[in-house]
Amino acid sequence: MAKSYEPGEIEKTIYAQWEASGVFAPSGQGPGYCIVIPPPNVTGSLHMGHAFQDTIMDALTRYHRMRGDDTLWQPGTDHAGIATQMVVERQLEAAGESRGALGRERFLQAVWEWKGRSGGRISEQLRRMGASVDWSRERFTLDEGLSHAVGEVFVRLYDEGLIYRGQRLVNWDPQLQTAVSDLEVTGEEEDGHLWHIRYPLASGGHLIVATTRPETLLGDEAVAVHPEDPRYRHLVGKTARLPLTGRDIPIIADEYVDPAFGSGCVKITPAHDFNDYEVGRRHGLALTNILDKAARIQLPGSPYHGLSREEARTRVLADLEAEGLLERAEAHKLKVPRGERTGAVIEPWLTDQWYVRTADLAAPAVAAVEDGRIRFVPENWDKTYYEWMRNIKDWCISRQIWWGHRIPAWYDASGRVYVARSEEEARARHGLSADVTLSQDPDVLDTWFSSALWPFSTLGWPDKSDAMTRFYPTQVLVTGFDIIFFWVARMIMMGLKFTGDVPFREVYVHGLVLDAKGQKMSKSRGNVIDPIDLIDGISLPDLITKRTTGLMQPGRAEEIRKATEREYPEGIPSYGTDALRMTFASLATQGRNINFDLARVDGYRNFCNKLWNATRFVLLNTENADCGNEGDYTLNVGDRWIVSRLQETERAVEEAFRAYRFDLAVQALYGFVWDEYCSWYVEWSKTVLTCADPLTARGTRRTLVRVLETALRLLHPLMPFITEILWNRVAPLCGRDGPTIMRAPYPHCDTSRIDPRATADMQILMGIISAVRTIRGEMNIAPGARIPVLLDGASDVADLVGANEETIMALARLSAITLLPLGAKTPESAVGLVGAIRVLVPLEGLIDKTAELRRLAKEIEKIDREIERARAKLERPDFVARAPAAVVEEERRRLADFEERQRKLREQEARITALAS
């Protein structure tokens, strides 16, 4: 066995063996347990959010597989309509071609070819994360079976009047020239202006209207004021002259208006603002669409016709200025909606689209959560779900692109629409002869439409299948809070509608993975971390290149380079998958945000090394030796204690998995393996293994291998690779066999093996050893020096100490242990307390009093200076008032730490001073 754990190629080899052996597939035995993977975009690569939730899903899958459940983790990818089309269009442009020139059929052929070449990248990255999905069942949202399910759902909903075509405002990306969902729109604060414009009144005078988009006044249909605003109440029902148009528009009263914003008068443009659209509906205002699909002014005969929004703004402002209607302009911060993929300003645009009528679907979906058929974890997310579902709007499901599920609707020459599963069915259903020309709707469905069917379409619906019977409803959905509306709610609605049951029993909602400073990871900030770089490592030059290539704001490249050099001066080392997975699990606290700190990954890489080295020690002392699988053996107090603690750890981990508290599972496992098994029990065993009693040595060897083997099984769902390697070496030593740890049973607490007496005894013995070690460190006694120890008040544990004297002396490096009689006089000593027992280390002759006092004086002087600096900083009002709260709190913590160290050093100085010279 190698001296250190180097994950590298080992992980790839192990994964290939797992996949080839088919162990990821359901066993066919035990109760069904299914998780469907949130399908990543086929264009995508693994990001930190994916890696985090994939760790959680794989941990649950492996845990339930080992518990004997018939476990399926259903994989697949999303066709990602807009994103994929953009990727292929850019490749065509680079080759001097275009989508339009190719035509629809040839373009779609080119996309499928791209998918065949490049669409599997994220699946390969999932393998690197150790994902134990059943690859034999991998699905794609545009595969034949899922496309059949999509068509079936569309037609059924249409036939029931739950899908319709109508004209409404949508988020319109003028660069892509398609409607987009709210999730595909970003809104960051930008510098802009607020222009104050005079709208003349028919009765004389004018109203001042403030707007951030003066070009849209060409589509104004009213000026609104608050009904209780005394400044304008008398004008309600009158008209104002719309600047630059010659049109008169009404002055209306509506509670939407904020009297404190601007002048308290708001221009209403129903066809180009979502809030104005609702105001217009309430007041019966016309919808004047002034823009075309490229966001150019569409007003034939107007001097602004054909201008872009930006050109129109410049021209409108100049004309307002010329007519004396521009009151003033002021700098103004505003959130600008931009397309997530293009960066183009999103336009609220009036257009014909297909919609799902959601109210009738939402009511049963709300009831399913209210009556407990679906449970959110943490439970507070049900409030977010209810809020959205009870205020749900009809869902725009059409997109003006080519890659996706084409709308199953056909039109005749007069525009009549025929919805069916195919053109042949449309003709048959409506009695249309072959000479009636039909053309299919050119739009495709929103990607979220097919995703809403994912839990049941991937299992074979609408056909009756063994998988649907066995695994639907699925057990748990693991997802981020940002798509509760866009995906979770829609899956619940569709699942109930088409299967009569919920799609999953529980929804585990995890937080957003942020950087160490609590900032969202984004390309523009230059703080994105690629999970594969954490697994394999990356050099500083390559990391800088990755972070600065393809920036939407190239001017930030130098700033990002410098920040990266500060944060990662040596690049990122290779940590391996297990360390990364343990880090993610440790951060799964059920909080809203997850601050990712590289130091944690380093800590869990050390944990892997600790586990590896402990296993090497165990193998060195147990392979080719009698490990007590047969015959008699004796367990000493240390053996009984570690077995007892193992049971309690098993119980804690089981409770943590049941509650989706993966952070608590990690705490329990880390504490047991590192702090108890490695740091205490392995060291304890070294003395026992050399003892003359063969039964005791056999008992310790038995305990060493059995506890380690069990710990490996406990760890496996979170750390699959290292546990697989080590288990295959350790398991045979305790009589276990099997091709893989993945199919070994998950440990379960045996309460009969919990031993309170052994735990209490070991607490005393470890306390004595720890007290001596603490004294040795505090008093600067040489680590290798053998020292005597006196135990005062230990008469009740004399037998316990006597039975374990050799081990105590070895671990504490003692020359002698003396139990003092009651009331005995003690020399000047350093003292530690273990309950009522005083642990005394006589100091005379152990240290150089003069040299030690000199050393302590220097230490105290140094600490005094640190305290003075920290106090001075905290006493500055500007620091406390202006510095971030976290920085101030950190400084207070540092001061408290310095003061505690100062107190301990002064106590130590007093003890040394009291020693005889």
Side-chain angles (χ1 to χ4, degrees):
M1 186 169 168
K3 288 187 176 180
S4 62
Y5 179 53
E6 300 296 337
E9 288 303 312
I10 296 176
E11 293 181 347
K12 295 179 184 177
T13 302
I14 292 172
Y15 194 90
Q17 291 170 352
W18 283 335
E19 190 172 351
S21 67
V23 291
F24 297 159
S27 65
Q29 305 294 320
Y33 181 92
C34 180
I35 298 177
V36 291
I37 195 170
N41 287 353
V42 71
T43 57
S45 59
L46 196 74
H47 58 59
M48 294 293 277
H50 288 138
F52 177 84
Q53 70 177 20
D54 291 338
T55 295
I56 300 306
M57 286 184 284
D58 192 53
L60 287 167
T61 300
R62 290 175 183 271
Y63 173 74
H64 281 275
R65 185 183 289 125
M66 294 176 76
R67 283 174 59 89
D69 295 341
D70 189 19
T71 304
L72 169 65
W73 185 11
Q74 172 64 53
T77 50
D78 191 285
H79 65 277
I82 293 174
T84 306
Q85 181 158 316
M86 285 181 68
V87 167
V88 178
E89 284 197 66
R90 284 170 182 161
Q91 291 184 356
L92 290 172
E93 289 168 7
E97 298 183 88
S98 70
R99 173 167 64 100
L102 281 182
R104 186 167 193 141
E105 294 307 314
R106 287 179 60 204
F107 174 75
L108 291 178
Q109 182 182 346
V111 181
W112 279 108
E113 289 171 355
W114 171 88
K115 195 256 179 190
R117 291 190 310 271
S118 307
R121 182 184 179 196
I122 198 158
S123 296
E124 291 307 312
Q125 291 174 322
L126 276 170
R127 287 172 166 89
R128 296 302 312 281
M129 285 298 300
S132 61
V133 299
D134 183 359
W135 291 111
S136 70
R137 296 185 52 86
E138 187 175 14
R139 304 303 300 268
F140 179 53
T141 49
L142 273 179
D143 70 28
E144 184 178 353
L146 270 61
S147 296
H148 173 48
V150 167
E152 185 70 22
V153 166
F154 188 98
V155 173
R156 289 194 199 179
L157 290 175
Y158 180 83
D159 287 348
E160 292 185 38
L162 294 175
I163 280 182
Y164 65 94
R165 186 167 172 80
Q167 189 178 71
R168 292 188 174 200
L169 279 191
V170 297
N171 292 313
W172 185 263
D173 188 316
Q175 184 170 325
L176 294 174
Q177 296 191 6
T178 180
V180 294
S181 72
D182 289 345
L183 196 62
E184 295 162 310
V185 179
T186 63
E188 295 197 9
E189 201 170 68
E190 299 181 18
D191 291 324
H193 290 87
L194 191 62
W195 287 276
H196 298 258
I197 302 169
R198 299 187 182 107
Y199 281 49
L201 296 170
S203 57
H206 56 261
L207 290 175
I208 302 296
V209 174
T211 180
T212 59
R213 302 185 68 203
E215 67 279 6
T216 62
L217 69 78
L218 301 171
D220 283 2
E221 291 298 331
V223 173
V225 298
H226 193 278
E228 303 301 323
D229 193 331
R231 295 171 295 175
Y232 307 117
R233 192 182 299 145
H234 65 288
L235 296 175
V236 174
K238 296 183 167 47
T239 61
R241 176 61 55 92
L242 181 62
L244 310 181
T245 67
R247 288 196 291 125
D248 287 335
I249 55 176
I251 300 169
I252 62 175
D254 197 283
E255 292 186 349
Y256 159 69
V257 179
D258 178 3
F261 178 78
S263 64
C265 299
V266 178
K267 61 191 284 301
I268 303 298
T269 319
H272 294 287
D273 183 276
F274 289 105
N275 292 319
D276 290 5
Y277 177 80
E278 295 300 328
V279 174
R281 286 182 63 189
R282 288 195 289 272
H283 294 271
L285 301 178
L287 294 166
T288 304
N289 194 346
I290 65 168
L291 297 173
D292 66 10
K293 63 183 180 181
R296 305 185 76 85
I297 300 296
Q298 186 69 22
L299 290 172
S302 161
Y304 310 104
H305 181 69
L307 298 180
S308 69
R309 291 172 295 181
E310 296 74 21
E311 292 167 340
R313 177 175 296 181
T314 301
R315 181 77 175 271
V316 163
L317 288 171
D319 291 348
L320 288 170
E321 183 81 49
E323 294 189 18
L325 296 177
L326 187 60
E327 174 90 0
R328 71 182 189 279
E330 61 185 64
H332 180 68
K333 292 271 191 185
L334 71 159
K335 277 196 171 182
V336 179
R338 292 188 178 273
E340 180 185 44
R341 293 182 175 87
T342 63
V345 175
I346 295 297
E347 187 64 46
W349 197 53
L350 190 65
T351 179
D352 289 311
Q353 301 286 344
W354 289 90
Y355 291 88
V356 173
R357 204 181 306 277
T358 51
D360 290 345
L361 296 171
V366 169
V369 177
E370 287 178 328
D371 63 25
R373 282 175 288 158
I374 295 176
R375 182 175 76 98
F376 278 86
V377 181
E379 290 185 355
N380 60 289
W381 285 111
D382 62 5
K383 298 178 180 62
T384 303
Y385 173 79
Y386 291 142
E387 176 66 21
W388 189 72
M389 292 295 278
R390 287 167 178 158
N391 295 281
I392 196 169
K393 302 284 194 298
D394 286 357
W395 172 18
C396 175
I397 57 172
S398 46
R399 298 292 181 266
Q400 290 64 55
I401 57 175
W402 288 352
W403 174 246
H405 297 99
R406 196 164 177 181
I407 303 283
W410 286 262
Y411 301 90
D412 62 19
S414 62
R416 285 189 292 268
V417 64
Y418 307 97
V419 170
R421 295 164 185 83
S422 65
E423 182 177 340
E424 292 73 23
E425 184 183 84
R427 291 181 182 278
R429 290 179 75 178
H430 299 281
L432 302 175
S433 63
D435 60 352
V436 176
T437 301
L438 294 179
S439 58
Q440 189 173 356
D441 194 307
D443 291 354
V444 301
L445 286 164
D446 175 16
T447 298
W448 292 104
F449 189 87
S450 53
S451 298
L453 319 182
W454 189 250
F456 54 92
S457 64
T458 54
L459 297 176
W461 188 94
D463 299 329
K464 292 183 178 180
S465 70
D466 291 340
M468 273 293 290
T469 302
R470 185 70 167 150
F471 297 114
Y472 190 89
T474 67
Q475 187 59 42
V476 61
L477 178 76
V478 178
T479 186
F481 64 79
D482 52 337
I483 56 173
I484 289 176
F485 319 132
F486 298 97
W487 190 40
V488 178
R490 289 166 180 169
M491 282 190 289
I492 296 173
M493 290 190 290
M494 293 299 188
L496 287 165
K497 176 67 178 174
F498 291 100
T499 73
D501 205 345
V502 295
F504 26 73
R505 301 296 187 197
E506 295 174 304
V507 182
Y508 172 72
V509 183
H510 63 75
L512 185 66
V513 181
L514 308 174
D515 70 9
K517 299 174 183 174
Q519 294 183 319
K520 188 175 181 179
M521 292 188 189
S522 70
K523 181 76 174 178
S524 61
R525 285 194 178 97
N527 62 348
V528 170
I529 302 175
D530 183 339
I532 303 301
D533 290 340
L534 295 172
I535 293 171
D536 292 339
I538 186 171
S539 68
L540 177 61
D542 287 347
L543 182 59
I544 290 171
T545 299
K546 179 179 280 192
R547 286 185 161 190
T548 56
T549 300
L551 290 171
M552 291 182 69
Q553 297 172 282
R556 295 206 61 217
E558 182 62 15
E559 177 190 343
I560 291 170
R561 180 188 67 79
K562 290 179 178 177
T564 303
E565 287 176 342
R566 283 194 305 271
E567 195 168 0
Y568 307 104
E570 305 297 326
I572 297 175
S574 168
Y575 292 111
T577 301
D578 288 326
L580 179 58
R581 287 171 58 117
M582 279 290 274
T583 303
F584 282 134
S586 75
L587 294 169
T589 61
Q590 297 191 3
R592 190 179 180 92
N593 292 322
I594 300 160
N595 291 10
F596 187 86
D597 187 351
L598 210 60
R600 278 201 184 222
V601 196
D602 196 52
Y604 288 112
R605 180 67 170 86
N606 293 338
F607 180 74
C608 291
N609 286 335
K610 189 82 168 177
L611 182 61
W612 185 270
N613 291 333
T615 304
R616 287 185 70 241
F617 168 81
V618 172
L619 293 174
L620 186 66
N621 286 277
T622 57
E623 281 187 319
N624 303 315
D626 181 358
C627 293
N629 292 324
E630 296 178 0
D632 294 334
Y633 56 86
T634 300
L635 299 183
N636 63 47
V637 64
D639 301 328
R640 298 196 308 276
W641 165 74
I642 199 66
V643 169
S644 178
R645 285 294 302 125
L646 176 63
Q647 307 313 308
E648 292 172 325
T649 302
E650 289 169 359
R651 182 167 57 193
V653 172
E654 185 175 355
E655 290 172 354
F657 266 96
R658 191 183 303 122
Y660 297 99
R661 288 301 304 268
F662 305 97
D663 58 321
L664 299 182
V666 170
Q667 285 178 28
L669 289 166
Y670 186 98
F672 176 76
V673 172
W674 186 301
D675 298 333
E676 295 177 325
Y677 184 79
C678 295
S679 295
W680 277 108
Y681 182 68
V682 167
E683 296 304 312
W684 185 273
S685 71
K686 290 177 181 178
T687 305
V688 180
L689 290 174
T690 61
C691 76
D693 180 12
L695 291 181
T696 302
R698 180 186 293 168
T700 293
R701 282 193 295 271
R702 174 187 172 90
T703 305
L704 272 171
V705 296
R706 288 174 179 263
V707 171
L708 176 58
E709 187 274 337
T710 305
L712 292 172
R713 285 186 284 129
L714 280 171
L715 282 165
H716 178 73
L718 299 171
M719 300 175 66
F721 291 107
I722 192 171
T723 53
E724 181 72 72
I725 296 170
L726 300 180
W727 186 83
N728 278 289
R729 290 289 297 272
V730 173
L733 298 177
C734 51
R736 280 197 180 274
D737 57 11
T740 173
I741 190 174
M742 200 183 308
R743 293 293 188 184
Y746 200 75
H748 179 72
C749 171
D750 180 351
T751 55
S752 69
R753 303 183 74 190
I754 295 175
D755 190 334
R757 176 62 184 272
T759 299
D761 286 349
M762 275 299 287
Q763 290 298 326
I764 292 169
L765 298 173
M766 292 187 297
I768 292 169
I769 295 165
S770 296
V772 174
R773 289 172 174 175
T774 300
I775 291 168
R776 190 187 290 273
E778 288 181 349
M779 305 310 295
N780 203 30
I781 299 170
R786 292 279 180 177
I787 58 176
V789 69
L790 310 177
L791 299 181
D792 186 24
S795 57
D796 290 345
V797 295
D799 291 343
L800 176 66
V801 172
N804 295 279
E805 183 174 10
E806 186 178 349
T807 304
I808 297 171
M809 290 181 66
L811 295 183
R813 300 193 67 80
L814 302 178
S815 58
I817 302 175
T818 302
L819 274 68
L820 297 176
L822 187 65
K825 186 176 180 182
T826 60
E828 184 63 39
S829 305
V831 182
L833 291 176
V834 181
I837 301 169
R838 292 203 309 156
V839 180
L840 300 97
V841 175
L843 294 176
E844 192 166 358
L846 282 179
I847 60 173
D848 182 330
K849 178 178 178 181
T850 303
E852 183 62 11
L853 286 173
R854 190 182 306 119
R855 185 188 70 81
L856 288 171
K858 288 181 180 178
E859 284 286 323
I860 291 169
E861 183 182 356
K862 181 180 175 182
I863 291 293
D864 287 346
R865 286 197 300 269
E866 293 288 357
I867 289 173
E868 186 178 348
R869 274 196 290 268
R871 283 176 177 166
K873 184 181 284 190
L874 288 168
E875 286 169 2
R876 278 175 24 218
D878 61 328
F879 172 74
V880 176
R882 296 178 185 176
V887 173
V888 175
E889 186 57 35
E890 174 64 15
E891 194 62 29
R892 288 184 176 133
R893 188 193 63 75
R894 288 180 71 248
L895 175 59
D897 287 347
F898 286 138
E899 289 174 337
E900 177 63 13
R901 286 170 61 190
Q902 181 196 58
R903 182 186 66 78
K904 288 183 176 179
L905 286 169
R906 292 197 183 281
E907 287 178 356
Q908 192 172 335
E909 183 182 47
R911 284 201 299 269
I912 300 297
T913 302
L915 290 176
S917 299

